[in-house]
Amino acid sequence: MTAAATAVPSRPGRPRSAEADAAIRQATIDLLAEEGYANLTMSGVASSAGVSTATLYRRWRSKVDLVVDVLSVESEERPLPDTGDLRGDCRAWLRQMVETMRETTSGPVMAGLVGEIGRNPELADAIRTTLIAPRRAAFIEMIERAERRGELRAGLDHELVIDLLSAPIYHRVLITGAPISRGLADKIVDLVLEGVTK
């Protein structure tokens, strides 16, 4: 038997390219910001990224899978702080949120997705399950660490504390259009913690 006959058959298709993945992810974010989710197409992303549509479908089964995966990677690149102090954690977290929202694409992407979630149950479920739930669990752990350190008043609803901290930023970005800044983040933290800390 020849070496060619005994060789293990190779898997079909070409190996994944890190460069192609990066181009696809950037194209997806850019097009989400420019055109919104409803107008985003797999062929449009492929064209913008300089790859074939078949390349996209080898990696992601659908537009929902592509968008959720891209946003998950973006989220994972912004780990939650652990400063050893609730005020420090919350200030670092909200400052990070402000910087993210002030980036060129983040605000428009968020605004477009929030609008689409109300019309698209598949997208809503995917984002809430894959993106929001793990991130929110990490936020809750941040609050629970503070509780274990004895920083919080007893009997607090941790989910509500997270909502109170993050909601003003989202409200300004998505509703009023009022400016956001690191100073605003610190003011929100001080105001909320005045009501929940010992």
Side-chain angles (χ1 to χ4, degrees):
M1 216 179 244
T2 65
T6 58
V8 176
S10 61
R11 297 179 63 182
R14 289 177 292 179
R16 289 181 68 126
S17 160
E19 292 79 9
D21 277 357
I24 291 166
R25 294 181 191 282
Q26 189 59 55
T28 302
I29 291 294
D30 291 343
L31 290 173
L32 279 172
E34 294 166 11
E35 303 178 0
Y37 179 86
N39 295 320
L40 182 78
T41 64
M42 296 291 269
S43 60
V45 171
S47 176
S48 182
V51 301
S52 70
T53 305
T55 296
L56 280 189
Y57 281 109
R58 280 197 296 269
R59 291 160 164 77
W60 299 278
R61 295 174 300 173
S62 67
K63 180 170 76 169
V64 168
D65 288 345
L66 168 64
V67 168
V68 171
D69 183 49
V70 167
L71 295 177
S72 295
V73 171
E74 293 280 310
S75 179
E76 289 167 3
E77 291 174 352
R78 298 188 294 271
L80 286 179
D82 185 359
T83 66
D85 169 78
L86 179 60
R87 191 174 301 274
D89 286 351
C90 290
R91 283 188 171 183
W93 166 38
L94 287 198
R95 287 175 179 180
Q96 181 188 86
M97 182 184 294
V98 164
E99 294 306 315
T100 299
M101 291 296 186
R102 291 173 68 179
E103 291 173 3
T104 305
T105 56
S106 294
V109 167
M110 180 63 66
L113 286 175
V114 167
E116 190 62 28
I117 281 173
R119 297 185 293 268
N120 189 324
E122 181 187 7
L123 177 66
D125 181 65
I127 286 180
R128 288 168 180 156
T129 301
T130 307
L131 185 63
I132 295 177
R135 191 73 171 169
R136 200 164 173 85
F139 292 151
I140 297 302
E141 171 57 27
M142 182 180 76
I143 299 298
E144 289 176 348
R145 286 199 306 265
E147 185 176 58
R148 291 193 293 269
R149 290 192 298 260
E151 296 179 72
L152 292 176
R153 292 193 291 105
L156 290 173
D157 182 334
H158 295 173
E159 295 269 356
L160 183 56
V161 174
I162 294 298
D163 290 342
L164 290 170
L165 286 165
S166 59
I169 302 295
Y170 287 118
H171 188 267
R172 289 198 173 203
V173 170
L174 300 174
I175 307 298
T176 69
I180 57 175
S181 65
R182 290 167 63 95
L184 173 67
D186 291 350
K187 288 179 181 178
I188 293 169
V189 170
D190 290 344
L191 185 61
V192 173
L193 293 194
E194 184 177 338
V196 302
T197 54
K198 291 182 176 179

